[in-house]
Amino acid sequence: MKTGRLLTPFVSPARGVADVPGSKSLTNRALICAGLADGTSVIENFLMADDTGAMIAALQNLGVSVIAHENGRSLQVAGLSGPPDVSNVSINARLSGTTSRFIVPAVAVGRGKFTISGEAPLMRRPFHDQIVALRSLGANITELGAVDCLPLEVDANGLDGGTIYVNAEKSSQFASGLLMAAPLMKNGLTLHLEGAVVSRPYIALTLEVMRKFGAEILNPVDGTYVVSPTGYQSAIYRVEPDASAASYMFAAAAITGGRVRVNGLSRSSKQGDIKFVDVLEDLGATVNSGDTFLEVVGGSLSGGKFDLNDFSDTAQTLAAVAAFASAPIEIEGIGFIKAKETDRIEAMATELARCGVAVHQSQNGMVINPNQWALRSAQVETYDDHRMAMSMSLLSLRVSGIEIIDPECVDKTFPKFFEVLESLRDTKDFSSETTPVIAIDGPAGAGKSTIAKLLAEHLGVPHFDTGAMYRAVTLACLDAGLDVGNIEAVALLAEKIEITVGSRVQVDGVDVSERIRGIEVGQNVSAVAANSLVRKILVERQRRWAIEAGGGVMEGRDIGTAVFPDAALKIFLTATVDVRAKRRFGESSDQSLGQVKKEILARDETDSSRQDSPLRIAANAVIVDTSNSTIAETVELLGMLFRSEVSQ
Ligand code: DC
């Protein structure tokens, strides 16, 4: 069995300022422009990760001097003062799409023989549209392997430039690469975008960086760019934090109902992925923005339909957020992400399904149908895709037992991802609170009673079984010959009797511990539990009970939602229907397994659909799936969450 990084849920809302690295897109664009510029540039707040490391190495191979400076916080780049002019250079773009697609045009305007290759997943990604465009400008390009793919050999002898048409239906990176090489073409370049352009904001980003390095570009009509043959001038360039990377931190605030800020970003950023916060806002989060910061405050999340064509790198983030929404979320306009690091739609659908989230894939996107009851612990595959690892990690904020396989793939763009996410954990030690209540809710058969009792023992605090109270009232009704459907009369009786729940259960001083577990009580208790007047009385007593005892472990159906919504720790204990049915079947063999399962499903339906205090997952409750864990493991996990300890 593979092992990965097991993540510990957040028991409190995510809070803080997230230290998001510089934008990959801006870093790699600035590197290309600085590398070709006249003079020495300084790139501040650059991203140091696999993809930018690939670009730095590629430029160094071409003779550009790139050195870290100011304790590694900025880069000093001594430009080539024009196009590369070397012979027989081999460049490995590793897994980096931008590096390969920016470097090929940059060497095509130079002189010499260049081979550009990469790791296997990059070699499978399409290159057709750029090869076609460059050939139309007279570039001499040979595919050394599969047609339209890396490795490519470029036998360069400068380019005159002129006019080209670039299809940008699969990726806008081709057009960006050609635009960045354009100031070095003898006559400059007029570039027309063709097809239904994807990720269009990245083109604006390219132009912004080029202009910072002295390029002159006209944009007479939408989709047409006229670049003058000016070359580049060195500059001091400060890279904004990466909006795609920030999406995970903003999503953490949305999922946990927290508050997360990223400094150095604003809503007016040219990075397309900044629009992700608009989606969060539409879903119910609050977005606060200043000139130099962006902050998301989580609220309850609704559903909706969103076109992410312009900011598709956040599609996986949104799909993960959708797991916690109250209605389906449809993501459209992203069919082209099937050709990214992996088929991102298929990969996301598969991994979300492992965690209990139903996803319907379409040609152009996906629909996520959330059902928090079904959320499960799982080992999550990441397909060499950093965005799979980062987005699926978001499920761990609320669900226990999420293990990310190959977590190191985040190094591609966000090497410190797990540390930064962890820095948003509110590490309050609940055991120092005056009345710490641990609320344990969940459906029948999830293991609540056993686990709550053992957890109370483990922590040395009282245990409160609130179900026993409803059972005690039911028994008193039956003993008094009262119809359990008689709302007022049952409430009057509940008011009158004294119920003591401890290791034994007493009604007016008489021990009824065994009798409340009888069949007749079992058959009538749901009617009593659905009585709003009774609930009011018992909830009040439960609150007093816990406060007088100085807190403890309280189990039931509405503890986190109604009795103690501010409980220190809220747990929703669950397990698959099959596992719960097997457990109940093991306890008594009066019925067949099939019958038990049917009854459990019916019980889930009644418990979650009753008018008053239906069984719901409380805001910020941690969903703990007990299907594949032993009782001892679950007790230990809950104890650890209470002490706010982190497993790794
Ligand atoms: O957990 P149990 O089976 O002993 O609960 C008995 C009934 O009381 C069951 O129908 C759910 C209901 N109940 C409730 O509505 N609210 C609680 N806090 C606890 C139990």
Side-chain angles (χ1 to χ4, degrees):
M1 211 207 253
K2 290 187 189 173
T3 54
R5 189 178 182 116
L6 181 65
L7 302 172
T8 307
F10 277 26
V11 297
S12 302
R15 284 197 194 288
V17 177
D19 188 9
V20 172
S23 154
K24 171 185 87 166
S25 309
L26 290 170
T27 301
N28 268 2
R29 281 164 172 79
L31 277 166
I32 279 275
C33 296
L36 302 174
D38 198 359
T40 297
S41 300
V42 176
I43 304 178
E44 297 170 346
N45 194 41
F46 70 103
L47 169 71
M48 190 62 235
D50 283 353
D51 276 13
T52 51
M55 178 62 93
I56 291 170
L59 290 173
Q60 285 171 331
N61 274 1
L62 295 174
V64 179
S65 154
V66 183
I67 48 174
H69 134 113
E70 279 188 324
N71 283 338
R73 285 207 306 274
S74 59
L75 287 175
Q76 213 170 49
V77 183
L80 295 175
S81 304
D85 189 352
V86 275
S87 54
N88 286 325
V89 170
S90 230
I91 289 169
N92 182 347
R94 304 180 195 168
L95 288 165
S96 172
T98 51
T99 300
S100 59
R101 284 141 181 192
F102 297 172
I103 280 289
V104 169
V107 299
V109 293
R111 274 168 223 289
K113 209 173 227 178
F114 306 89
T115 315
I116 297 96
S117 64
E119 303 297 331
L122 181 66
M123 309 252 246
R124 287 193 290 270
R125 292 174 66 178
F127 234 96
H128 174 82
D129 297 318
Q130 196 174 65
I131 297 173
V132 169
L134 280 169
R135 279 185 182 144
S136 80
L137 288 172
N140 194 355
I141 300 178
T142 315
E143 291 114 313
L144 299 178
V147 176
D148 290 335
C149 289
L150 294 181
L152 297 177
E153 185 183 81
V154 185
D155 197 352
N157 193 18
L159 288 179
D160 287 345
T163 298
I164 50 167
Y165 293 83
V166 182
N167 186 300
E169 279 184 357
K170 288 204 177 67
S171 172
S172 65
Q173 289 173 358
F174 305 130
S176 285
L178 289 156
L179 284 167
M180 283 190 286
L184 305 178
M185 294 178 194
K186 204 167 139 210
N187 305 315
L189 183 73
T190 298
L191 183 148
H192 300 282
L193 291 178
E194 274 192 325
V197 182
V198 296
S199 311
R200 192 182 274 266
Y202 281 108
I203 305 241
L205 212 61
T206 302
L207 303 181
E208 185 183 67
V209 179
M210 288 172 68
R211 287 185 174 123
K212 287 266 165 62
F213 284 87
E216 287 169 17
I217 310 135
L218 298 175
N219 181 201
V221 289
D222 200 27
T224 294
Y225 308 94
V226 183
V227 186
S228 304
T230 55
Y232 287 114
Q233 286 306 314
S234 60
I236 295 175
Y237 183 85
R238 184 163 185 84
V239 177
E240 267 185 5
D242 191 287
S244 328
S247 76
Y248 306 106
M249 304 302 146
F250 293 140
I255 289 171
T256 62
R259 178 186 291 266
V260 172
R261 178 180 283 222
V262 175
N263 288 330
L265 269 185
S266 76
R267 269 190 137 153
S268 57
S269 165
K270 288 236 168 39
Q271 295 183 64
D273 287 358
I274 209 75
K275 282 199 192 153
F276 180 71
V277 299
D278 298 349
V279 175
L280 291 180
E281 196 170 51
D282 279 356
L283 290 174
T286 304
V287 178
N288 301 318
S289 173
D291 285 346
T292 57
F293 77 91
L294 200 51
E295 179 181 82
V296 170
V297 184
S300 54
L301 297 167
S302 61
K305 188 170 173 175
F306 302 94
D307 185 334
L308 264 64
N309 187 277
D310 277 354
F311 48 113
S312 66
D313 271 352
T314 63
Q316 290 148 293
T317 323
L318 179 57
V321 169
F324 301 98
S326 58
I329 287 186
E330 181 170 355
I331 308 175
E332 52 179 13
I334 55 161
F336 63 98
I337 71 168
K338 286 170 175 286
K340 291 278 181 172
E341 276 78 345
T342 183
D343 177 342
R344 285 182 163 165
I345 296 180
E346 167 84 24
M348 208 59 199
T350 308
E351 298 313 309
L352 280 173
R354 266 191 231 282
C355 301
V357 187
V359 180
H360 172 75
Q361 298 182 53
S362 65
Q363 236 352 75
N364 210 23
M366 57 185 143
V367 183
I368 299 97
N369 291 296
N371 171 12
Q372 292 191 38
W373 276 58
L375 287 170
R376 300 277 165 254
S377 51
Q379 279 198 323
V380 172
E381 296 288 342
T382 47
Y383 309 81
D384 270 332
D385 181 4
H386 53 135
R387 300 210 183 283
M388 282 305 296
M390 295 190 279
S391 51
M392 290 303 296
S393 292
L394 295 171
L395 270 84
S396 79
L397 298 173
R398 299 271 318 270
V399 184
S400 74
I402 299 291
E403 186 176 349
I404 304 291
I405 303 295
D406 291 336
E408 307 76 28
C409 65
V410 302
D411 290 354
K412 190 168 197 283
T413 55
F414 198 164
K416 293 206 167 123
F417 170 76
F418 292 104
E419 284 158 63
V420 176
L421 187 64
E422 195 53 45
S423 74
L424 302 177
R425 186 187 294 275
D426 203 354
T427 48
K428 197 159 50 163
D429 181 4
F430 299 118
S431 48
S432 61
E433 278 187 24
T434 41
T435 309
V437 170
I438 301 178
I440 301 197
D441 295 302
K448 278 193 312 293
S449 299
T450 319
I451 286 162
K453 225 174 278 166
L454 288 172
L455 177 63
E457 242 173 71
H458 175 76
L459 298 174
V461 298
H463 164 236
F464 308 103
D465 173 5
T466 59
M469 275 192 165
Y470 291 94
R471 287 176 180 270
V473 174
T474 311
L475 180 68
C477 288
L478 296 173
D479 284 352
L482 203 63
D483 172 9
V484 290
N486 187 338
I487 309 277
E488 278 80 19
V490 174
L492 268 178
L493 181 67
E495 184 83 73
K496 226 171 60 197
I497 58 174
E498 196 191 329
I499 307 168
T500 337
V501 181
S503 55
R504 308 292 294 171
V505 181
Q506 295 181 333
V507 172
D508 291 333
V510 178
D511 191 322
V512 293
S513 312
E514 277 75 34
R515 290 187 64 215
I516 59 163
R517 305 283 160 201
I519 292 181
E520 216 185 341
V521 171
Q523 284 164 344
N524 289 284
V525 67
S526 352
V528 173
N531 182 328
S532 302
L533 300 176
V534 171
R535 295 203 77 84
K536 218 164 151 206
I537 296 162
L538 295 191
V539 164
E540 206 36 58
R541 286 191 198 173
Q542 288 156 15
R543 287 188 185 132
R544 235 183 305 130
W545 189 21
I547 291 164
E548 279 166 14
V553 181
M554 183 171 270
E555 54 155 307
R557 302 290 193 285
D558 59 343
I559 313 305
T561 51
V563 186
F564 281 104
D566 294 326
L569 175 60
K570 289 181 271 184
I571 301 293
F572 189 85
L573 220 52
T574 181
T576 62
V577 176
D578 286 328
V579 168
R580 290 192 283 135
K582 270 193 200 125
R583 286 180 187 159
R584 282 284 141 106
F585 180 65
E587 286 164 16
S588 102
S589 51
D590 298 351
Q591 294 169 302
S592 72
L593 183 59
Q595 278 170 321
V596 177
K597 187 171 163 182
K598 227 165 129 190
E599 229 168 62
I600 283 203
L601 282 169
R603 235 348 236 282
D604 285 356
E605 179 58 29
T606 344
D607 280 352
S608 56
S609 61
R610 74 172 174 224
Q611 281 260 301
D612 193 359
S613 307
L615 175 57
R616 290 255 187 283
I617 302 180
N620 300 324
V622 176
I623 299 164
V624 175
D625 173 15
T626 64
S627 310
N628 298 311
S629 327
T630 63
I631 289 168
E633 282 168 348
T634 308
V635 170
E636 191 175 328
L637 170 73
L638 300 191
M640 196 185 80
L641 292 178
F642 181 63
R643 292 186 298 265
S644 278
E645 288 163 3
V646 176
S647 61
Q648 292 201 19

PDB file of all heavy atoms in Angstrom, residues 568-587:
ATOM      1  N   ALA A 568     -16.339  23.414  21.940  1.00  0.00           N
ATOM      2  CA  ALA A 568     -14.912  23.529  21.642  1.00  0.00           C
ATOM      3  C   ALA A 568     -14.570  22.684  20.417  1.00  0.00           C
ATOM      4  O   ALA A 568     -13.839  23.108  19.530  1.00  0.00           O
ATOM      5  CB  ALA A 568     -14.108  23.058  22.844  1.00  0.00           C
ATOM      6  N   LEU A 569     -15.119  21.508  20.388  1.00  0.00           N
ATOM      7  CA  LEU A 569     -14.816  20.598  19.287  1.00  0.00           C
ATOM      8  C   LEU A 569     -16.113  19.952  18.843  1.00  0.00           C
ATOM      9  O   LEU A 569     -16.871  19.440  19.674  1.00  0.00           O
ATOM     10  CB  LEU A 569     -13.833  19.530  19.795  1.00  0.00           C
ATOM     11  CG  LEU A 569     -13.462  18.410  18.833  1.00  0.00           C
ATOM     12  CD1 LEU A 569     -12.800  18.957  17.588  1.00  0.00           C
ATOM     13  CD2 LEU A 569     -12.528  17.418  19.519  1.00  0.00           C
ATOM     14  N   LYS A 570     -16.387  20.011  17.547  1.00  0.00           N
ATOM     15  CA  LYS A 570     -17.605  19.404  17.023  1.00  0.00           C
ATOM     16  C   LYS A 570     -17.224  18.283  16.064  1.00  0.00           C
ATOM     17  O   LYS A 570     -16.450  18.510  15.129  1.00  0.00           O
ATOM     18  CB  LYS A 570     -18.447  20.463  16.297  1.00  0.00           C
ATOM     19  CG  LYS A 570     -19.063  21.452  17.267  1.00  0.00           C
ATOM     20  CD  LYS A 570     -19.912  22.470  16.569  1.00  0.00           C
ATOM     21  CE  LYS A 570     -19.098  23.655  16.147  1.00  0.00           C
ATOM     22  NZ  LYS A 570     -19.894  24.711  15.538  1.00  0.00           N
ATOM     23  N   ILE A 571     -17.763  17.111  16.341  1.00  0.00           N
ATOM     24  CA  ILE A 571     -17.428  15.952  15.526  1.00  0.00           C
ATOM     25  C   ILE A 571     -18.707  15.401  14.910  1.00  0.00           C
ATOM     26  O   ILE A 571     -19.727  15.272  15.599  1.00  0.00           O
ATOM     27  CB  ILE A 571     -16.807  14.829  16.407  1.00  0.00           C
ATOM     28  CG1 ILE A 571     -15.545  15.318  17.126  1.00  0.00           C
ATOM     29  CG2 ILE A 571     -16.539  13.570  15.598  1.00  0.00           C
ATOM     30  CD1 ILE A 571     -14.370  15.616  16.225  1.00  0.00           C
ATOM     31  N   PHE A 572     -18.652  15.105  13.620  1.00  0.00           N
ATOM     32  CA  PHE A 572     -19.746  14.374  12.986  1.00  0.00           C
ATOM     33  C   PHE A 572     -19.204  13.000  12.660  1.00  0.00           C
ATOM     34  O   PHE A 572     -18.372  12.826  11.773  1.00  0.00           O
ATOM     35  CB  PHE A 572     -20.216  15.095  11.719  1.00  0.00           C
ATOM     36  CG  PHE A 572     -21.474  14.504  11.144  1.00  0.00           C
ATOM     37  CD1 PHE A 572     -22.717  14.902  11.612  1.00  0.00           C
ATOM     38  CD2 PHE A 572     -21.417  13.549  10.140  1.00  0.00           C
ATOM     39  CE1 PHE A 572     -23.883  14.356  11.089  1.00  0.00           C
ATOM     40  CE2 PHE A 572     -22.576  13.002   9.620  1.00  0.00           C
ATOM     41  CZ  PHE A 572     -23.814  13.404  10.092  1.00  0.00           C
ATOM     42  N   LEU A 573     -19.645  12.029  13.460  1.00  0.00           N
ATOM     43  CA  LEU A 573     -19.140  10.670  13.309  1.00  0.00           C
ATOM     44  C   LEU A 573     -19.984   9.958  12.272  1.00  0.00           C
ATOM     45  O   LEU A 573     -21.213   9.979  12.356  1.00  0.00           O
ATOM     46  CB  LEU A 573     -19.288   9.971  14.664  1.00  0.00           C
ATOM     47  CG  LEU A 573     -18.170   9.058  15.135  1.00  0.00           C
ATOM     48  CD1 LEU A 573     -16.824   9.742  15.081  1.00  0.00           C
ATOM     49  CD2 LEU A 573     -18.469   8.570  16.536  1.00  0.00           C
ATOM     50  N   THR A 574     -19.335   9.339  11.309  1.00  0.00           N
ATOM     51  CA  THR A 574     -20.119   8.668  10.275  1.00  0.00           C
ATOM     52  C   THR A 574     -19.409   7.410   9.797  1.00  0.00           C
ATOM     53  O   THR A 574     -18.289   7.112  10.220  1.00  0.00           O
ATOM     54  CB  THR A 574     -20.397   9.652   9.108  1.00  0.00           C
ATOM     55  OG1 THR A 574     -21.171   8.990   8.129  1.00  0.00           O
ATOM     56  CG2 THR A 574     -19.133  10.170   8.474  1.00  0.00           C
ATOM     57  N   ALA A 575     -20.073   6.651   8.972  1.00  0.00           N
ATOM     58  CA  ALA A 575     -19.488   5.469   8.348  1.00  0.00           C
ATOM     59  C   ALA A 575     -20.384   5.116   7.173  1.00  0.00           C
ATOM     60  O   ALA A 575     -21.535   5.580   7.113  1.00  0.00           O
ATOM     61  CB  ALA A 575     -19.434   4.302   9.340  1.00  0.00           C
ATOM     62  N   THR A 576     -19.897   4.316   6.258  1.00  0.00           N
ATOM     63  CA  THR A 576     -20.727   3.961   5.106  1.00  0.00           C
ATOM     64  C   THR A 576     -21.955   3.204   5.601  1.00  0.00           C
ATOM     65  O   THR A 576     -21.926   2.575   6.672  1.00  0.00           O
ATOM     66  CB  THR A 576     -19.969   3.045   4.123  1.00  0.00           C
ATOM     67  OG1 THR A 576     -19.641   1.850   4.817  1.00  0.00           O
ATOM     68  CG2 THR A 576     -18.702   3.683   3.595  1.00  0.00           C
ATOM     69  N   VAL A 577     -23.022   3.248   4.826  1.00  0.00           N
ATOM     70  CA  VAL A 577     -24.259   2.564   5.222  1.00  0.00           C
ATOM     71  C   VAL A 577     -23.982   1.073   5.418  1.00  0.00           C
ATOM     72  O   VAL A 577     -24.467   0.452   6.369  1.00  0.00           O
ATOM     73  CB  VAL A 577     -25.350   2.772   4.148  1.00  0.00           C
ATOM     74  CG1 VAL A 577     -26.599   1.991   4.502  1.00  0.00           C
ATOM     75  CG2 VAL A 577     -25.665   4.232   4.005  1.00  0.00           C
ATOM     76  N   ASP A 578     -23.166   0.492   4.543  1.00  0.00           N
ATOM     77  CA  ASP A 578     -22.871  -0.937   4.659  1.00  0.00           C
ATOM     78  C   ASP A 578     -22.185  -1.258   5.974  1.00  0.00           C
ATOM     79  O   ASP A 578     -22.532  -2.230   6.652  1.00  0.00           O
ATOM     80  CB  ASP A 578     -21.987  -1.389   3.496  1.00  0.00           C
ATOM     81  CG  ASP A 578     -22.793  -1.484   2.204  1.00  0.00           C
ATOM     82  OD1 ASP A 578     -23.997  -1.798   2.297  1.00  0.00           O
ATOM     83  OD2 ASP A 578     -22.231  -1.212   1.128  1.00  0.00           O
ATOM     84  N   VAL A 579     -21.218  -0.431   6.342  1.00  0.00           N
ATOM     85  CA  VAL A 579     -20.497  -0.688   7.603  1.00  0.00           C
ATOM     86  C   VAL A 579     -21.444  -0.517   8.789  1.00  0.00           C
ATOM     87  O   VAL A 579     -21.469  -1.346   9.708  1.00  0.00           O
ATOM     88  CB  VAL A 579     -19.277   0.265   7.729  1.00  0.00           C
ATOM     89  CG1 VAL A 579     -18.697   0.230   9.134  1.00  0.00           C
ATOM     90  CG2 VAL A 579     -18.212  -0.099   6.707  1.00  0.00           C
ATOM     91  N   ARG A 580     -22.251   0.525   8.736  1.00  0.00           N
ATOM     92  CA  ARG A 580     -23.168   0.756   9.870  1.00  0.00           C
ATOM     93  C   ARG A 580     -24.168  -0.393   9.992  1.00  0.00           C
ATOM     94  O   ARG A 580     -24.472  -0.862  11.087  1.00  0.00           O
ATOM     95  CB  ARG A 580     -23.887   2.101   9.687  1.00  0.00           C
ATOM     96  CG  ARG A 580     -22.938   3.280   9.861  1.00  0.00           C
ATOM     97  CD  ARG A 580     -23.653   4.592   9.965  1.00  0.00           C
ATOM     98  NE  ARG A 580     -24.137   5.115   8.703  1.00  0.00           N
ATOM     99  CZ  ARG A 580     -25.338   5.622   8.504  1.00  0.00           C
ATOM    100  NH1 ARG A 580     -26.212   5.660   9.500  1.00  0.00           N
ATOM    101  NH2 ARG A 580     -25.691   6.095   7.344  1.00  0.00           N
ATOM    102  N   ALA A 581     -24.643  -0.874   8.842  1.00  0.00           N
ATOM    103  CA  ALA A 581     -25.604  -1.979   8.871  1.00  0.00           C
ATOM    104  C   ALA A 581     -24.950  -3.229   9.454  1.00  0.00           C
ATOM    105  O   ALA A 581     -25.542  -3.924  10.289  1.00  0.00           O
ATOM    106  CB  ALA A 581     -26.110  -2.246   7.465  1.00  0.00           C
ATOM    107  N   LYS A 582     -23.697  -3.493   9.050  1.00  0.00           N
ATOM    108  CA  LYS A 582     -22.994  -4.684   9.559  1.00  0.00           C
ATOM    109  C   LYS A 582     -22.831  -4.600  11.071  1.00  0.00           C
ATOM    110  O   LYS A 582     -22.968  -5.587  11.785  1.00  0.00           O
ATOM    111  CB  LYS A 582     -21.635  -4.816   8.888  1.00  0.00           C
ATOM    112  CG  LYS A 582     -21.720  -5.637   7.627  1.00  0.00           C
ATOM    113  CD  LYS A 582     -20.346  -6.044   7.126  1.00  0.00           C
ATOM    114  CE  LYS A 582     -20.455  -6.397   5.660  1.00  0.00           C
ATOM    115  NZ  LYS A 582     -19.558  -5.659   4.793  1.00  0.00           N
ATOM    116  N   ARG A 583     -22.513  -3.381  11.562  1.00  0.00           N
ATOM    117  CA  ARG A 583     -22.322  -3.217  13.010  1.00  0.00           C
ATOM    118  C   ARG A 583     -23.621  -3.528  13.751  1.00  0.00           C
ATOM    119  O   ARG A 583     -23.627  -4.248  14.730  1.00  0.00           O
ATOM    120  CB  ARG A 583     -21.884  -1.798  13.330  1.00  0.00           C
ATOM    121  CG  ARG A 583     -20.436  -1.543  12.955  1.00  0.00           C
ATOM    122  CD  ARG A 583     -20.060  -0.119  13.289  1.00  0.00           C
ATOM    123  NE  ARG A 583     -18.721   0.167  12.787  1.00  0.00           N
ATOM    124  CZ  ARG A 583     -18.264   1.387  12.552  1.00  0.00           C
ATOM    125  NH1 ARG A 583     -19.028   2.432  12.781  1.00  0.00           N
ATOM    126  NH2 ARG A 583     -17.035   1.556  12.109  1.00  0.00           N
ATOM    127  N   ARG A 584     -24.715  -2.946  13.269  1.00  0.00           N
ATOM    128  CA  ARG A 584     -26.013  -3.170  13.923  1.00  0.00           C
ATOM    129  C   ARG A 584     -26.416  -4.641  13.823  1.00  0.00           C
ATOM    130  O   ARG A 584     -26.951  -5.220  14.769  1.00  0.00           O
ATOM    131  CB  ARG A 584     -27.092  -2.287  13.289  1.00  0.00           C
ATOM    132  CG  ARG A 584     -27.044  -0.852  13.759  1.00  0.00           C
ATOM    133  CD  ARG A 584     -27.616  -0.735  15.176  1.00  0.00           C
ATOM    134  NE  ARG A 584     -26.873   0.203  15.981  1.00  0.00           N
ATOM    135  CZ  ARG A 584     -27.298   1.421  16.313  1.00  0.00           C
ATOM    136  NH1 ARG A 584     -28.471   1.839  15.904  1.00  0.00           N
ATOM    137  NH2 ARG A 584     -26.555   2.196  17.064  1.00  0.00           N
ATOM    138  N   PHE A 585     -26.133  -5.239  12.685  1.00  0.00           N
ATOM    139  CA  PHE A 585     -26.463  -6.647  12.460  1.00  0.00           C
ATOM    140  C   PHE A 585     -25.711  -7.510  13.471  1.00  0.00           C
ATOM    141  O   PHE A 585     -26.249  -8.463  14.026  1.00  0.00           O
ATOM    142  CB  PHE A 585     -26.084  -7.017  11.018  1.00  0.00           C
ATOM    143  CG  PHE A 585     -26.368  -8.435  10.651  1.00  0.00           C
ATOM    144  CD1 PHE A 585     -27.678  -8.907  10.617  1.00  0.00           C
ATOM    145  CD2 PHE A 585     -25.339  -9.315  10.342  1.00  0.00           C
ATOM    146  CE1 PHE A 585     -27.954 -10.226  10.269  1.00  0.00           C
ATOM    147  CE2 PHE A 585     -25.600 -10.629   9.997  1.00  0.00           C
ATOM    148  CZ  PHE A 585     -26.916 -11.092   9.958  1.00  0.00           C
ATOM    149  N   GLY A 586     -24.475  -7.135  13.747  1.00  0.00           N
ATOM    150  CA  GLY A 586     -23.665  -7.873  14.711  1.00  0.00           C
ATOM    151  C   GLY A 586     -24.221  -7.776  16.123  1.00  0.00           C
ATOM    152  O   GLY A 586     -24.021  -8.672  16.949  1.00  0.00           O
ATOM    153  N   GLU A 587     -24.927  -6.674  16.416  1.00  0.00           N
ATOM    154  CA  GLU A 587     -25.456  -6.480  17.775  1.00  0.00           C
ATOM    155  C   GLU A 587     -26.687  -7.338  18.033  1.00  0.00           C
ATOM    156  O   GLU A 587     -26.943  -7.768  19.148  1.00  0.00           O
ATOM    157  CB  GLU A 587     -25.818  -4.995  17.986  1.00  0.00           C
ATOM    158  CG  GLU A 587     -24.599  -4.101  18.169  1.00  0.00           C
ATOM    159  CD  GLU A 587     -24.933  -2.619  17.973  1.00  0.00           C
ATOM    160  OE1 GLU A 587     -26.123  -2.260  17.998  1.00  0.00           O
ATOM    161  OE2 GLU A 587     -23.977  -1.841  17.786  1.00  0.00           O
TER     162      GLU A 587
END
